[in-house]
Amino acid sequence: MTQPDTPPSSGARTVRIPDDRAGQRLDNFLLGQLKGAPRSLVYKLVRSGQVRINGGRAKAERKLEVGDEVRIPPVRLETQQDAGRSPPKGLLAALEASIVFEDTRLLAINKPSGIASHGGSGISFGVIEAMRALRPRDTLELVHRLDRDTSGLLVLSKKRSALSELQRLLREDHGSGIEKRYLALLIGRMPDGTMSVDAPLHVGLRQGGERHVQVNPAGKPSMSHFRVLERRGGQSYCEIRIETGRTHQIRVHARHIGHPVAGDDKYGDEAANKRLREQVGLKRLFLHASTLEFALDGGKAPYSLNAPLVPELIEVLDRLG
């Protein structure tokens, strides 16, 4: 098992933050410095105070500034060969086949359901670890994340400048210049037209550390727009445009309006999910990230990235008639 070493502090090193790293989160910076380190180890190092910024303790989400001096403790990482652990060939093949776009700055995949964006919490390998194994010469970073059970468009950066600009766009809620659209099957008959849901969301933790999100006035502003594309078998196949990117936003907003996402075993309708599983073979969350539209270079370089609906969800729609 990978563990931090405990040699004298003289084995630590200090890195001064250059211009092109300004604004990067501490945890993401450390993942780049400690190649091969699992995210859980990075968080442990930060929580225990072994990582310091300008001599003081810091949180994992802290944004770095030019000139900050980051103390990185000595860490022993088992190589993948030594540990006998590398991403399974099946995972590598699936992700290689899932690439839907690539240029010199970005790489986008149509992420299969069931694969986490990154490793941790008992998951050895996620998309980012596997893609780095596939592309060892590229400096790949996750631009954003998708829930493990959600399929669809996931974007990775190949250049630091693209990562910084895209993450800035993603942080700017409500008309930020980045459009995010999803496809989902909602339980029941949604009304015609577009239904906008403006409901603040609060992330809480259940016993065991599981995240659970609720509509709560004390939460963060959250906006989703649901539009019915067609109705199948008494259910509503919808396109959802989100102006904010909160944790589990679509799933909680859908539940809030009384039409939970089909196949959602956390916020959904258990009886309806059972019927859909038995009648049309829906064995997963019917939520798919379909489109991202944005522009880099201050609007001079437009992107329109798309991930087609995956075959297992198309088959469910066909069976619904």
Coordinates of all heavy atoms in Angstrom, one line a residue, residues 9-22 24-26 28-35 50-56 58 62-75:
S9 N 12.8 16.0 8.3 CA 12.2 17.0 7.5 C 13.1 17.6 6.5 O 12.7 18.3 5.5 CB 11.7 18.2 8.4 OG 12.7 18.7 9.2
S10 N 14.4 17.3 6.7 CA 15.4 17.8 5.7 C 15.2 17.2 4.3 O 15.7 17.7 3.3 CB 16.8 17.5 6.2 OG 17.0 16.1 6.3
G11 N 14.4 16.1 4.3 CA 14.1 15.5 3.0 C 13.0 16.2 2.2 O 12.8 15.9 1.1
A12 N 12.4 17.2 2.8 CA 11.3 17.9 2.1 C 11.9 18.9 1.1 O 13.1 19.2 1.2 CB 10.5 18.7 3.2
R13 N 11.1 19.3 0.2 CA 11.5 20.3 -0.8 C 10.5 21.4 -0.9 O 9.4 21.2 -0.5 CB 11.7 19.6 -2.2 CG 10.4 19.0 -2.8 CD 10.8 18.1 -4.0 NE 9.6 17.4 -4.5 CZ 8.8 17.8 -5.4 NH1 9.0 18.9 -6.1 NH2 7.8 17.0 -5.8
T14 N 11.0 22.6 -1.3 CA 10.2 23.7 -1.4 C 10.1 24.2 -2.9 O 11.1 24.3 -3.5 CB 10.7 24.9 -0.5 OG1 10.7 24.5 0.8 CG2 9.8 26.1 -0.6
V15 N 8.9 24.4 -3.3 CA 8.6 24.8 -4.7 C 8.0 26.2 -4.7 O 7.0 26.4 -4.0 CB 7.7 23.8 -5.5 CG1 7.5 24.3 -6.9 CG2 8.3 22.4 -5.5
R16 N 8.6 27.1 -5.5 CA 8.1 28.5 -5.6 C 7.1 28.5 -6.8 O 7.4 28.0 -7.9 CB 9.2 29.5 -5.8 CG 8.7 31.0 -5.9 CD 9.8 31.9 -6.2 NE 10.7 32.0 -5.0 CZ 10.6 32.9 -4.0 NH1 9.5 33.7 -4.1 NH2 11.4 32.9 -3.1
I17 N 5.9 29.0 -6.6 CA 4.8 29.0 -7.6 C 5.1 30.0 -8.7 O 5.3 31.2 -8.5 CB 3.5 29.3 -7.0 CG1 3.1 28.3 -5.9 CG2 2.4 29.3 -8.1 CD1 3.1 26.8 -6.3
P18 N 5.3 29.5 -10.0 CA 5.5 30.4 -11.1 C 4.2 31.0 -11.6 O 3.1 30.6 -11.2 CB 6.1 29.4 -12.1 CG 5.4 28.1 -11.8 CD 5.3 28.1 -10.4
D19 N 4.3 31.9 -12.6 CA 3.2 32.6 -13.1 C 2.1 31.7 -13.6 O 0.9 31.9 -13.4 CB 3.6 33.6 -14.2 CG 4.5 34.7 -13.7 OD1 4.6 34.9 -12.5 OD2 5.0 35.4 -14.6
D20 N 2.5 30.6 -14.3 CA 1.5 29.8 -15.0 C 0.8 28.9 -14.1 O -0.1 28.1 -14.5 CB 2.1 29.0 -16.2 CG 3.1 28.0 -15.7 OD1 3.5 28.0 -14.5 OD2 3.5 27.1 -16.5
R21 N 1.1 28.9 -12.8 CA 0.4 28.0 -11.8 C -0.5 28.9 -10.9 O -1.2 28.3 -10.0 CB 1.4 27.2 -11.0 CG 2.2 26.2 -11.8 CD 1.3 25.1 -12.2 NE 2.0 24.2 -13.2 CZ 1.5 23.1 -13.7 NH1 0.3 22.7 -13.3 NH2 2.1 22.4 -14.6
A22 N -0.5 30.2 -11.1 CA -1.3 31.0 -10.2 C -2.8 30.7 -10.4 O -3.3 30.5 -11.5 CB -1.1 32.5 -10.6
Q24 N -4.2 27.9 -9.3 CA -4.4 26.4 -9.3 C -4.7 26.0 -7.8 O -4.1 26.6 -6.9 CB -3.2 25.7 -9.8 CG -3.5 24.2 -9.9 CD -2.3 23.4 -10.6 OE1 -1.2 23.9 -10.6 NE2 -2.6 22.3 -11.2
R25 N -5.6 25.1 -7.6 CA -5.8 24.5 -6.3 C -4.6 23.8 -5.8 O -3.9 23.2 -6.6 CB -7.0 23.6 -6.3 CG -8.4 24.3 -6.3 CD -9.5 23.3 -6.5 NE -9.4 22.2 -5.6 CZ -10.5 21.8 -4.8 NH1 -11.6 22.5 -4.9 NH2 -10.4 20.8 -4.0
L26 N -4.4 23.8 -4.5 CA -3.2 23.2 -3.9 C -3.3 21.7 -4.2 O -2.2 21.1 -4.5 CB -3.2 23.4 -2.4 CG -2.1 22.7 -1.6 CD1 -0.8 23.1 -2.0 CD2 -2.3 23.0 -0.1
N28 N -4.6 20.0 -6.6 CA -4.2 19.7 -8.0 C -2.8 19.9 -8.3 O -2.1 19.2 -9.1 CB -5.1 20.5 -9.0 CG -6.6 20.0 -8.9 OD1 -6.9 18.8 -8.6 ND2 -7.5 20.9 -9.1
F29 N -2.2 21.0 -7.7 CA -0.8 21.2 -7.8 C 0.0 20.1 -7.3 O 1.0 19.6 -7.9 CB -0.4 22.5 -7.1 CG 1.0 22.8 -7.1 CD1 1.7 23.3 -8.3 CD2 1.8 22.7 -6.0 CE1 3.1 23.6 -8.2 CE2 3.2 22.9 -5.9 CZ 3.8 23.4 -7.1
L30 N -0.3 19.6 -6.1 CA 0.4 18.5 -5.5 C 0.3 17.2 -6.3 O 1.3 16.4 -6.5 CB -0.1 18.2 -4.1 CG 0.2 19.3 -3.1 CD1 -0.5 19.1 -1.8 CD2 1.7 19.5 -2.8
L31 N -0.8 16.9 -6.9 CA -1.0 15.8 -7.8 C 0.0 15.8 -9.0 O 0.5 14.8 -9.4 CB -2.4 15.6 -8.3 CG -3.5 15.2 -7.2 CD1 -4.9 15.4 -7.7 CD2 -3.2 13.7 -6.9
G32 N 0.2 17.0 -9.5 CA 1.2 17.2 -10.6 C 2.6 17.0 -10.1 O 3.5 16.5 -10.8
Q33 N 2.9 17.4 -8.9 CA 4.2 17.3 -8.3 C 4.6 15.9 -7.9 O 5.7 15.4 -8.0 CB 4.4 18.3 -7.1 CG 4.4 19.7 -7.5 CD 5.6 20.2 -8.3 OE1 6.7 19.9 -7.9 NE2 5.4 20.9 -9.3
L34 N 3.6 15.2 -7.3 CA 3.8 13.8 -6.8 C 3.2 12.8 -7.8 O 2.1 12.3 -7.6 CB 3.1 13.7 -5.4 CG 3.6 14.7 -4.4 CD1 2.8 14.6 -3.1 CD2 5.1 14.4 -4.0
K35 N 3.8 12.7 -8.9 CA 3.3 11.8 -10.0 C 3.0 10.4 -9.5 O 3.8 9.8 -8.8 CB 4.3 11.8 -11.2 CG 4.5 13.1 -11.9 CD 3.3 13.6 -12.6 CE 3.6 14.8 -13.4 NZ 2.4 15.4 -14.1
Q50 N 1.7 18.3 6.8 CA 3.0 18.1 6.2 C 3.3 19.0 5.0 O 4.4 19.2 4.6 CB 3.1 16.6 5.8 CG 3.1 15.6 7.0 CD 3.2 14.2 6.6 OE1 4.3 13.8 6.1 NE2 2.2 13.4 6.7
V51 N 2.2 19.4 4.4 CA 2.3 20.4 3.3 C 2.1 21.8 3.9 O 1.1 22.0 4.6 CB 1.3 20.1 2.2 CG1 1.3 21.2 1.1 CG2 1.5 18.8 1.6
R52 N 3.0 22.7 3.6 CA 2.9 24.1 4.1 C 3.0 25.1 2.9 O 3.7 24.9 2.0 CB 4.0 24.4 5.1 CG 4.1 23.4 6.3 CD 3.3 24.0 7.4 NE 3.1 23.1 8.5 CZ 2.9 23.5 9.8 NH1 2.7 24.8 10.0 NH2 2.7 22.6 10.7
I53 N 2.3 26.2 3.1 CA 2.4 27.3 2.1 C 2.9 28.5 2.9 O 2.3 29.0 3.9 CB 1.1 27.7 1.5 CG1 0.6 26.5 0.7 CG2 1.2 28.9 0.5 CD1 -0.8 26.7 0.0
N54 N 4.1 29.0 2.5 CA 4.8 30.1 3.2 C 4.9 29.9 4.7 O 4.7 30.8 5.5 CB 4.0 31.4 2.9 CG 3.8 31.7 1.4 OD1 4.7 31.4 0.6 ND2 2.7 32.3 1.0
G55 N 5.1 28.6 5.0 CA 5.4 28.3 6.4 C 4.1 27.9 7.2 O 4.2 27.4 8.3
G56 N 2.9 28.1 6.6 CA 1.7 27.9 7.4 C 0.9 26.7 6.8 O 1.1 26.3 5.6
A58 N -2.4 24.8 5.3 CA -3.3 25.3 4.2 C -4.3 24.2 4.0 O -4.1 23.0 4.3 CB -2.6 25.7 3.0
R62 N -7.2 25.5 -1.4 CA -6.6 26.9 -1.4 C -6.1 27.2 -2.8 O -5.4 26.3 -3.4 CB -5.5 27.0 -0.4 CG -4.7 28.3 -0.5 CD -3.9 28.6 0.7 NE -3.0 29.7 0.5 CZ -2.2 30.3 1.4 NH1 -2.3 29.8 2.6 NH2 -1.4 31.2 1.1
K63 N -6.3 28.4 -3.3 CA -5.8 28.8 -4.6 C -4.4 29.4 -4.4 O -4.2 30.2 -3.6 CB -6.7 29.8 -5.3 CG -8.1 29.3 -5.5 CD -8.2 28.3 -6.6 CE -9.6 27.7 -6.8 NZ -10.7 28.6 -6.7
L64 N -3.5 28.9 -5.2 CA -2.1 29.3 -5.1 C -1.9 30.7 -5.8 O -2.6 31.0 -6.7 CB -1.1 28.3 -5.7 CG -1.2 26.9 -5.1 CD1 -0.4 25.9 -5.9 CD2 -0.6 27.0 -3.7
E65 N -0.9 31.4 -5.3 CA -0.5 32.7 -5.9 C 0.9 32.7 -6.3 O 1.7 31.9 -5.8 CB -0.8 33.8 -4.8 CG -2.2 34.0 -4.4 CD -2.4 35.0 -3.3 OE1 -1.4 35.7 -3.0 OE2 -3.5 35.2 -2.8
V66 N 1.2 33.6 -7.3 CA 2.6 33.7 -7.7 C 3.5 34.0 -6.6 O 3.3 34.9 -5.8 CB 2.7 34.8 -8.8 CG1 4.2 35.0 -9.3 CG2 1.9 34.4 -10.0
G67 N 4.6 33.2 -6.5 CA 5.6 33.5 -5.4 C 5.4 32.7 -4.2 O 6.2 32.7 -3.3
D68 N 4.2 32.1 -4.0 CA 4.0 31.2 -2.8 C 5.1 30.1 -2.8 O 5.5 29.6 -3.8 CB 2.6 30.5 -2.9 CG 1.5 31.4 -2.5 OD1 1.7 32.4 -1.8 OD2 0.3 31.0 -2.8
E69 N 5.5 29.8 -1.6 CA 6.5 28.7 -1.4 C 5.8 27.6 -0.7 O 5.3 27.7 0.4 CB 7.6 29.2 -0.5 CG 8.5 30.3 -1.3 CD 9.8 30.6 -0.5 OE1 9.9 30.3 0.7 OE2 10.7 31.2 -1.2
V70 N 5.7 26.5 -1.5 CA 5.0 25.3 -1.0 C 6.0 24.2 -0.6 O 6.9 23.8 -1.3 CB 4.1 24.7 -2.2 CG1 3.4 23.4 -1.7 CG2 3.2 25.7 -2.7
R71 N 5.9 23.8 0.7 CA 6.7 22.8 1.2 C 6.1 21.4 0.9 O 4.9 21.2 1.2 CB 6.9 22.9 2.7 CG 7.7 21.7 3.4 CD 7.5 21.7 4.9 NE 8.4 20.7 5.5 CZ 8.0 19.4 5.6 NH1 6.8 19.0 5.2 NH2 8.8 18.5 6.2
I72 N 6.8 20.6 0.2 CA 6.3 19.2 -0.2 C 7.1 18.2 0.6 O 8.3 18.1 0.4 CB 6.4 19.0 -1.7 CG1 5.6 20.1 -2.5 CG2 5.9 17.6 -2.1 CD1 5.8 20.0 -4.0
P73 N 6.5 17.4 1.4 CA 7.2 16.5 2.3 C 7.8 15.3 1.4 O 7.3 15.1 0.3 CB 6.1 16.0 3.2 CG 4.9 16.1 2.5 CD 5.0 17.3 1.6
P74 N 8.8 14.6 2.0 CA 9.3 13.5 1.3 C 8.3 12.3 1.3 O 7.6 12.0 2.3 CB 10.5 13.0 2.1 CG 10.2 13.6 3.5 CD 9.4 14.9 3.3
V75 N 8.0 11.8 0.1 CA 7.0 10.8 -0.1 C 7.6 9.6 -0.9 O 8.2 9.9 -1.9 CB 5.8 11.4 -0.8 CG1 4.8 10.3 -1.2 CG2 5.1 12.4 0.0

